[in-house]
Amino acid sequence: KYNKFYKEGTYVCRGCQNPLFKSETKYDSGSGWPSYYTCIEGNVEEIQDNSHGMNRVEVVCNRCKGHLGHVFTDGPQPTGLRYCINSVSLSFEGKE
C-alpha cells in the first residue's frame, strides 16, 4: 500500500498509532517494500532475528511491540540504513 506512496506526513503504527517514520525520510529502495533511512528516535526497537537461517535485525514498535519489518545497512546516506517496512503494519497521517 505504501511502497509507491509519497504524500507528506507521518507513518504511524497501525496497532497503536505511535509515530514511526517521517515522510521526508522515505525513499525508493527498489526492494518492493516501503523504505526509510531513519526512524523517529525512541519509537522503534531493534531485535536480533536469526530465523529462517538468516542473520537480520527485526524492527518493532517500541510501544505495542508490533512487528514492522527489518533494518539493513545498505541504505543511503546520511545514515546508511534501510528500514524495510511492511505496509500492513503502518497507517498514515497526512500533513495539514
Side-chain angles (χ1 to χ4, degrees):
K1 179 176 181 178
Y2 294 116
N3 185 38
K4 300 288 185 184
F5 182 88
Y6 290 101
K7 293 186 179 179
E8 289 186 41
T10 303
Y11 295 86
V12 301
C13 176
R14 189 172 188 153
C16 70
Q17 306 308 302
N18 192 22
L20 303 171
F21 303 96
K22 294 186 181 281
S23 61
E24 56 265 22
T25 68
K26 188 174 190 297
Y27 71 100
D28 186 357
S29 69
S31 67
W33 300 90
S35 298
Y36 311 84
Y37 62 80
T38 192
C39 62
I40 294 176
E41 190 174 339
N43 291 1
V44 173
E45 181 179 343
E46 297 182 4
I47 302 169
Q48 191 62 43
D49 177 5
N50 295 315
S51 65
H52 307 291
M54 294 182 269
N55 184 6
R56 304 179 290 178
V57 177
E58 178 186 13
V59 289
V60 300
C61 172
N62 201 32
R63 185 184 295 160
C64 73
K65 307 303 183 201
H67 173 79
L68 301 172
H70 292 84
V71 62
F72 303 95
T73 57
D74 61 357
Q77 294 304 314
T79 65
L81 299 175
R82 173 174 53 100
Y83 287 85
C84 193
I85 306 300
N86 192 325
S87 284
V88 299
S89 65
L90 300 173
S91 291
F92 182 77
E93 295 178 355
K95 198 171 193 176
E96 295 179 14

